[in-house]
Short mmCIF file of all heavy atoms in Angstrom, two decimals:
data_model
loop_
_atom_site.label_atom_id
_atom_site.label_comp_id
_atom_site.label_asym_id
_atom_site.label_seq_id
_atom_site.Cartn_x
_atom_site.Cartn_y
_atom_site.Cartn_z
N SER A 1 -106.23 113.02 -35.73
CA SER A 1 -106.26 114.28 -34.98
C SER A 1 -107.64 114.93 -34.97
O SER A 1 -107.81 115.99 -34.37
CB SER A 1 -105.23 115.26 -35.57
OG SER A 1 -105.57 115.61 -36.90
N GLY A 2 -108.60 114.30 -35.64
CA GLY A 2 -109.97 114.80 -35.61
C GLY A 2 -110.35 115.71 -36.76
O GLY A 2 -111.46 116.23 -36.79
N GLY A 3 -109.47 115.87 -37.73
CA GLY A 3 -109.75 116.77 -38.84
C GLY A 3 -110.58 116.17 -39.95
O GLY A 3 -111.20 116.90 -40.73
N LEU A 4 -110.61 114.82 -40.04
CA LEU A 4 -111.34 114.14 -41.11
C LEU A 4 -112.14 112.97 -40.56
O LEU A 4 -111.70 112.29 -39.61
CB LEU A 4 -110.37 113.60 -42.18
CG LEU A 4 -109.72 114.59 -43.13
CD1 LEU A 4 -108.67 113.88 -43.97
CD2 LEU A 4 -110.75 115.26 -44.03
N GLU A 5 -113.28 112.72 -41.16
CA GLU A 5 -114.05 111.52 -40.88
C GLU A 5 -113.46 110.36 -41.68
O GLU A 5 -112.89 110.56 -42.76
CB GLU A 5 -115.52 111.72 -41.29
CG GLU A 5 -116.25 112.79 -40.49
CD GLU A 5 -116.56 112.34 -39.07
OE1 GLU A 5 -116.48 111.11 -38.80
OE2 GLU A 5 -116.86 113.21 -38.25
N PRO A 6 -113.60 109.11 -41.18
CA PRO A 6 -113.09 107.96 -41.95
C PRO A 6 -113.65 107.91 -43.37
O PRO A 6 -112.92 107.57 -44.32
CB PRO A 6 -113.56 106.76 -41.12
CG PRO A 6 -113.64 107.29 -39.73
CD PRO A 6 -114.10 108.71 -39.86
N SER A 7 -114.93 108.26 -43.54
CA SER A 7 -115.52 108.23 -44.88
C SER A 7 -114.86 109.26 -45.80
O SER A 7 -114.77 109.05 -47.01
CB SER A 7 -117.02 108.49 -44.80
OG SER A 7 -117.28 109.77 -44.20
N SER A 8 -114.40 110.37 -45.21
CA SER A 8 -113.76 111.41 -46.01
C SER A 8 -112.41 110.94 -46.56
O SER A 8 -112.00 111.34 -47.65
CB SER A 8 -113.57 112.68 -45.19
OG SER A 8 -114.81 113.22 -44.80
N VAL A 9 -111.72 110.10 -45.81
CA VAL A 9 -110.44 109.57 -46.27
C VAL A 9 -110.65 108.78 -47.56
O VAL A 9 -109.91 108.95 -48.54
CB VAL A 9 -109.79 108.68 -45.19
CG1 VAL A 9 -108.54 107.99 -45.74
CG2 VAL A 9 -109.44 109.52 -43.96
N LYS A 10 -111.67 107.94 -47.58
CA LYS A 10 -111.95 107.15 -48.78
C LYS A 10 -112.33 108.05 -49.96
O LYS A 10 -111.88 107.84 -51.09
CB LYS A 10 -113.07 106.16 -48.50
CG LYS A 10 -112.69 105.06 -47.52
CD LYS A 10 -113.84 104.08 -47.33
CE LYS A 10 -113.45 102.96 -46.38
NZ LYS A 10 -114.57 102.00 -46.17
N LYS A 11 -113.16 109.04 -49.70
CA LYS A 11 -113.59 109.94 -50.77
C LYS A 11 -112.41 110.72 -51.35
O LYS A 11 -112.30 110.89 -52.57
CB LYS A 11 -114.65 110.90 -50.26
CG LYS A 11 -115.99 110.25 -49.93
CD LYS A 11 -116.97 111.25 -49.35
CE LYS A 11 -118.29 110.59 -48.99
NZ LYS A 11 -119.24 111.55 -48.35
N LEU A 12 -111.53 111.19 -50.47
CA LEU A 12 -110.39 111.97 -50.94
C LEU A 12 -109.42 111.10 -51.75
O LEU A 12 -108.87 111.55 -52.76
CB LEU A 12 -109.68 112.61 -49.75
CG LEU A 12 -110.40 113.81 -49.12
CD1 LEU A 12 -109.81 114.16 -47.76
CD2 LEU A 12 -110.35 115.02 -50.04
N LEU A 13 -109.20 109.86 -51.32
CA LEU A 13 -108.34 108.97 -52.08
C LEU A 13 -108.96 108.64 -53.44
O LEU A 13 -108.24 108.51 -54.44
CB LEU A 13 -108.08 107.69 -51.29
CG LEU A 13 -107.08 107.81 -50.13
CD1 LEU A 13 -107.01 106.52 -49.34
CD2 LEU A 13 -105.69 108.19 -50.65
N ARG A 14 -110.27 108.53 -53.47
CA ARG A 14 -110.95 108.30 -54.74
C ARG A 14 -110.75 109.49 -55.68
O ARG A 14 -110.48 109.32 -56.87
CB ARG A 14 -112.44 108.05 -54.50
CG ARG A 14 -113.19 107.52 -55.74
CD ARG A 14 -114.64 107.23 -55.43
NE ARG A 14 -114.77 106.37 -54.27
CZ ARG A 14 -115.44 106.70 -53.16
NH1 ARG A 14 -116.04 107.87 -53.08
NH2 ARG A 14 -115.53 105.86 -52.16
N ARG A 15 -110.83 110.69 -55.14
CA ARG A 15 -110.60 111.89 -55.95
C ARG A 15 -109.14 111.94 -56.43
O ARG A 15 -108.86 112.37 -57.55
CB ARG A 15 -110.94 113.15 -55.14
CG ARG A 15 -112.42 113.35 -54.91
CD ARG A 15 -113.12 113.78 -56.18
NE ARG A 15 -112.73 115.12 -56.59
CZ ARG A 15 -113.02 115.64 -57.79
NH1 ARG A 15 -113.67 114.92 -58.69
NH2 ARG A 15 -112.65 116.87 -58.09
N LEU A 16 -108.22 111.52 -55.58
CA LEU A 16 -106.81 111.46 -55.97
C LEU A 16 -106.64 110.54 -57.18
O LEU A 16 -105.97 110.89 -58.16
CB LEU A 16 -105.97 110.96 -54.80
CG LEU A 16 -104.46 110.84 -55.04
CD1 LEU A 16 -103.81 112.21 -55.06
CD2 LEU A 16 -103.81 109.98 -53.95
N ASP A 17 -107.27 109.38 -57.12
CA ASP A 17 -107.16 108.41 -58.22
C ASP A 17 -107.80 108.92 -59.50
O ASP A 17 -107.26 108.75 -60.60
CB ASP A 17 -107.81 107.09 -57.81
CG ASP A 17 -107.05 106.37 -56.71
OD1 ASP A 17 -105.83 106.62 -56.58
OD2 ASP A 17 -107.66 105.58 -55.97
N ILE A 18 -108.98 109.56 -59.37
CA ILE A 18 -109.66 110.11 -60.54
C ILE A 18 -108.80 111.19 -61.20
O ILE A 18 -108.66 111.26 -62.42
CB ILE A 18 -111.05 110.65 -60.16
CG1 ILE A 18 -111.97 109.51 -59.73
CG2 ILE A 18 -111.67 111.43 -61.33
CD1 ILE A 18 -113.28 109.99 -59.14
N GLY A 19 -108.22 112.05 -60.36
CA GLY A 19 -107.35 113.10 -60.88
C GLY A 19 -106.14 112.52 -61.59
O GLY A 19 -105.73 113.02 -62.65
N TYR A 20 -105.56 111.47 -61.02
CA TYR A 20 -104.39 110.84 -61.63
C TYR A 20 -104.73 110.30 -63.01
O TYR A 20 -103.98 110.51 -63.97
CB TYR A 20 -103.88 109.72 -60.73
CG TYR A 20 -102.65 109.02 -61.26
CD1 TYR A 20 -101.41 109.63 -61.22
CD2 TYR A 20 -102.75 107.75 -61.82
CE1 TYR A 20 -100.28 109.00 -61.72
CE2 TYR A 20 -101.63 107.11 -62.32
CZ TYR A 20 -100.40 107.73 -62.27
OH TYR A 20 -99.29 107.10 -62.77
N GLN A 21 -105.86 109.65 -63.13
CA GLN A 21 -106.26 109.11 -64.42
C GLN A 21 -106.50 110.22 -65.44
O GLN A 21 -106.13 110.09 -66.61
CB GLN A 21 -107.53 108.25 -64.26
CG GLN A 21 -107.30 106.95 -63.49
CD GLN A 21 -106.24 106.07 -64.14
OE1 GLN A 21 -106.22 105.89 -65.37
NE2 GLN A 21 -105.35 105.53 -63.32
N GLU A 22 -107.11 111.32 -65.00
CA GLU A 22 -107.32 112.44 -65.91
C GLU A 22 -105.99 113.06 -66.34
O GLU A 22 -105.81 113.46 -67.49
CB GLU A 22 -108.22 113.50 -65.26
CG GLU A 22 -108.71 114.60 -66.18
CD GLU A 22 -107.72 115.75 -66.32
OE1 GLU A 22 -106.99 116.02 -65.35
OE2 GLU A 22 -107.68 116.37 -67.40
N GLY A 23 -105.06 113.14 -65.40
CA GLY A 23 -103.75 113.71 -65.71
C GLY A 23 -102.98 112.91 -66.74
O GLY A 23 -102.17 113.47 -67.48
N LEU A 24 -103.24 111.60 -66.79
CA LEU A 24 -102.57 110.77 -67.79
C LEU A 24 -103.03 111.10 -69.20
O LEU A 24 -102.31 110.83 -70.18
CB LEU A 24 -102.84 109.29 -67.50
CG LEU A 24 -102.23 108.72 -66.21
CD1 LEU A 24 -102.67 107.28 -66.01
CD2 LEU A 24 -100.70 108.80 -66.25
N GLU A 25 -104.21 111.71 -69.31
CA GLU A 25 -104.76 112.06 -70.62
C GLU A 25 -104.77 113.56 -70.89
O GLU A 25 -105.13 113.99 -71.98
CB GLU A 25 -106.22 111.54 -70.72
CG GLU A 25 -106.37 110.06 -70.45
CD GLU A 25 -105.64 109.20 -71.47
OE1 GLU A 25 -105.55 109.65 -72.64
OE2 GLU A 25 -105.18 108.11 -71.12
N ARG A 26 -104.38 114.35 -69.91
CA ARG A 26 -104.47 115.81 -70.03
C ARG A 26 -103.57 116.33 -71.15
O ARG A 26 -102.41 115.91 -71.28
CB ARG A 26 -104.09 116.47 -68.70
CG ARG A 26 -104.21 117.97 -68.70
CD ARG A 26 -103.94 118.53 -67.31
NE ARG A 26 -105.06 118.28 -66.40
CZ ARG A 26 -105.07 118.65 -65.11
NH1 ARG A 26 -104.01 119.28 -64.59
NH2 ARG A 26 -106.11 118.39 -64.35
N ALA A 27 -104.11 117.24 -71.92
CA ALA A 27 -103.32 117.84 -73.00
C ALA A 27 -102.16 118.64 -72.43
O ALA A 27 -102.31 119.35 -71.43
CB ALA A 27 -104.21 118.75 -73.85
N MET A 28 -101.00 118.52 -73.06
CA MET A 28 -99.82 119.26 -72.62
C MET A 28 -99.29 120.06 -73.81
O MET A 28 -98.60 119.51 -74.68
CB MET A 28 -98.75 118.31 -72.08
CG MET A 28 -99.16 117.60 -70.79
SD MET A 28 -97.79 116.81 -69.91
CE MET A 28 -97.26 115.62 -71.13
N GLN A 29 -99.66 121.31 -73.84
CA GLN A 29 -99.24 122.21 -74.91
C GLN A 29 -98.61 123.45 -74.28
O GLN A 29 -99.33 124.34 -73.82
CB GLN A 29 -100.44 122.60 -75.77
CG GLN A 29 -101.08 121.42 -76.49
CD GLN A 29 -102.31 121.82 -77.27
OE1 GLN A 29 -102.95 122.82 -76.98
NE2 GLN A 29 -102.66 121.03 -78.27
N PRO A 30 -97.29 123.49 -74.19
CA PRO A 30 -96.62 124.63 -73.56
C PRO A 30 -97.04 125.96 -74.17
O PRO A 30 -97.28 126.06 -75.38
CB PRO A 30 -95.13 124.35 -73.82
CG PRO A 30 -95.06 122.87 -74.03
CD PRO A 30 -96.34 122.49 -74.70
N THR A 31 -97.15 126.96 -73.33
CA THR A 31 -97.52 128.29 -73.78
C THR A 31 -96.29 129.01 -74.33
O THR A 31 -95.26 129.09 -73.65
CB THR A 31 -98.11 129.11 -72.62
OG1 THR A 31 -99.26 128.43 -72.13
CG2 THR A 31 -98.52 130.50 -73.08
N LYS A 32 -96.38 129.52 -75.52
CA LYS A 32 -95.29 130.32 -76.07
C LYS A 32 -95.47 131.76 -75.61
O LYS A 32 -96.43 132.44 -75.99
CB LYS A 32 -95.29 130.25 -77.60
CG LYS A 32 -94.88 128.89 -78.15
CD LYS A 32 -93.44 128.57 -77.80
CE LYS A 32 -93.02 127.23 -78.35
NZ LYS A 32 -91.60 126.89 -77.97
N LEU A 33 -94.57 132.21 -74.76
CA LEU A 33 -94.67 133.55 -74.20
C LEU A 33 -93.97 134.56 -75.11
O LEU A 33 -92.92 134.27 -75.69
CB LEU A 33 -94.04 133.59 -72.81
CG LEU A 33 -94.66 132.65 -71.77
CD1 LEU A 33 -93.88 132.71 -70.47
CD2 LEU A 33 -96.12 133.00 -71.52
N ALA A 34 -94.55 135.73 -75.20
CA ALA A 34 -93.96 136.79 -76.01
C ALA A 34 -92.63 137.23 -75.42
O ALA A 34 -92.49 137.33 -74.20
CB ALA A 34 -94.92 137.97 -76.10
N GLN A 35 -91.69 137.47 -76.29
CA GLN A 35 -90.36 137.88 -75.82
C GLN A 35 -90.41 139.24 -75.12
O GLN A 35 -89.70 139.45 -74.13
CB GLN A 35 -89.38 137.94 -76.99
CG GLN A 35 -87.96 138.29 -76.58
CD GLN A 35 -87.00 138.24 -77.75
OE1 GLN A 35 -87.39 137.92 -78.86
NE2 GLN A 35 -85.74 138.55 -77.50
N HIS A 36 -91.25 140.13 -75.60
CA HIS A 36 -91.32 141.46 -75.03
C HIS A 36 -92.60 141.61 -74.20
O HIS A 36 -93.66 141.09 -74.59
CB HIS A 36 -91.29 142.52 -76.13
CG HIS A 36 -90.06 142.46 -76.97
ND1 HIS A 36 -88.81 142.81 -76.50
CD2 HIS A 36 -89.86 142.05 -78.27
CE1 HIS A 36 -87.91 142.65 -77.45
NE2 HIS A 36 -88.51 142.19 -78.53
N PRO A 37 -92.54 142.31 -73.07
CA PRO A 37 -93.72 142.48 -72.23
C PRO A 37 -94.81 143.28 -72.94
O PRO A 37 -94.52 144.12 -73.80
CB PRO A 37 -93.19 143.23 -71.01
CG PRO A 37 -91.95 143.91 -71.49
CD PRO A 37 -91.36 143.01 -72.52
N SER A 38 -96.05 143.02 -72.56
CA SER A 38 -97.17 143.69 -73.21
C SER A 38 -97.36 145.12 -72.72
O SER A 38 -98.06 145.91 -73.35
CB SER A 38 -98.46 142.90 -72.97
OG SER A 38 -98.73 142.78 -71.58
N GLU A 39 -96.72 145.47 -71.60
CA GLU A 39 -96.80 146.83 -71.06
C GLU A 39 -95.42 147.27 -70.61
O GLU A 39 -94.60 146.45 -70.18
CB GLU A 39 -97.77 146.90 -69.88
CG GLU A 39 -99.22 146.60 -70.23
CD GLU A 39 -100.14 146.76 -69.03
OE1 GLU A 39 -99.69 147.31 -68.00
OE2 GLU A 39 -101.31 146.34 -69.13
N PRO A 40 -95.12 148.57 -70.67
CA PRO A 40 -93.82 149.06 -70.20
C PRO A 40 -93.69 148.93 -68.69
O PRO A 40 -94.68 148.75 -67.97
CB PRO A 40 -93.80 150.52 -70.64
CG PRO A 40 -95.25 150.90 -70.74
CD PRO A 40 -95.96 149.67 -71.21
#
């Protein structure tokens, strides 16, 4: 449709793959939220 250059498709897929690999190693530590709100 004219929104991307062919070279951009390759670059974006490369970024997708890099992100996927980083996500496999990303720390996952759930945030413990306070039971009561910090403000009324």
Side-chain angles (χ1 to χ4, degrees):
S1 64
L4 286 172
E5 296 287 344
S7 60
S8 297
V9 173
K10 293 182 179 179
K11 291 177 182 177
L12 286 166
L13 284 174
R14 191 177 308 121
R15 288 288 291 168
L16 180 74
D17 292 336
I18 293 171
Y20 181 74
Q21 291 302 316
E22 190 274 329
L24 293 175
E25 305 296 329
R26 182 175 286 179
M28 294 194 298
Q29 297 176 336
T31 301
K32 290 296 181 181
L33 301 176
Q35 183 176 359
H36 300 290
S38 59
E39 296 183 11

